[in-house]
Amino acid sequence: MTKSATREAADKVTFTQTEVTSAITAGDAVAGARKLLRITRYTSAGSGTWTKPSDTVSVLITAIGGGGGGGGSTAAYGSGGGGGSGGTGELFIATAASSYAYVVGAGASGGSSGVSGATGGSTTIAGMTSTGGGAGIWPLAGATGGAGGSSSGTNVHSFTGGGGGAGVNGNVGWAMGAAGGNSTRGGGARGTHAGGGGYTAGGATGGGGGGGGEGDFSGGTGSSGYIEIQEYS
């Protein structure tokens, strides 16, 4: 779904050079002596277009796919696997185009009781794609964790997302749901406590949703993907 102009503006955060000096790491090596002008970030799932300001020449773009959903659990049959995290890619463009269409991948829904989660959405921009994390599986289908996403179309870095933890396939007495996979921005969500309550959602950007604990509980939703555009003169 394409975001409205209002929603897009709400999700777009622009920082000055002073505010981001400490955040420049890999970008320094790629951008060399170029002056950092600003950083723009898109943090919510949806689509839009980035338009190059008149003073921008080069860009360093980071894209992270959405996290996979955790698997649901069942009573007396074990706990769900955690969703995988989205892949991360970095692309440097020496002479940026006037605009780039983008899509920020959504975090996938977790499975309800007895249902596996879903795969996270891909994040795309400027010919680069970072795929979403794989689904966590419900117990009787194996309780495996979702695979981490990958990235393509990069020329700086390409990182495979962390896989979700494995749940428990079988009745072991209220097994806890598995954790979601870690992304390059931090940890995935924790699984649900056996018998109820839990931390199935709320992991880092692109992180996987936690699995449902044994006892008919849903898996967690994966976190949304992410795009960061560092702009240089």
Side-chain angles (χ1 to χ4, degrees):
M1 177 182 295
T2 301
K3 292 184 289 186
S4 67
T6 301
R7 177 62 182 277
E8 179 179 337
D11 293 339
K12 177 179 177 180
V13 183
T14 300
F15 296 83
T16 66
Q17 181 173 355
T18 300
E19 292 171 318
V20 300
T21 297
S22 62
I24 305 307
T25 52
D28 285 341
V30 176
R34 294 176 174 86
K35 178 183 177 182
L36 174 68
L37 300 173
R38 64 190 66 85
I39 293 179
T40 297
R41 294 177 174 130
Y42 299 98
T43 60
S44 298
S47 61
T49 301
W50 172 85
T51 301
K52 181 175 75 69
S54 60
D55 57 351
T56 296
V57 176
S58 305
V59 292
L60 176 66
I61 305 174
T62 301
I64 303 176
S73 67
T74 56
Y77 287 108
S79 59
S85 74
T88 298
E90 293 181 346
L91 172 67
F92 179 71
I93 303 174
T95 303
S98 60
S99 64
Y100 294 108
Y102 68 83
V103 175
V104 177
S109 299
S112 58
S113 173
V115 178
S116 297
T119 298
S122 293
T123 295
T124 60
I125 184 171
M128 175 170 56
T129 298
S130 294
T131 63
I137 305 303
W138 77 287
L140 290 186
T144 54
S150 60
S151 59
S152 60
T154 66
N155 61 10
V156 180
H157 291 121
S158 181
F159 302 99
T160 299
V168 175
N169 182 9
N171 184 5
V172 297
W174 301 106
M176 184 170 181
N182 298 336
S183 76
T184 53
R185 297 284 162 164
R190 294 168 62 183
T192 302
H193 286 304
Y199 306 90
T200 56
T205 297
E214 185 172 358
D216 290 322
F217 296 104
S218 297
T221 300
S223 295
S224 293
Y226 174 86
I227 289 175
E228 176 180 291
I229 304 172
Q230 297 183 13
E231 302 173 18
Y232 293 87
S233 60

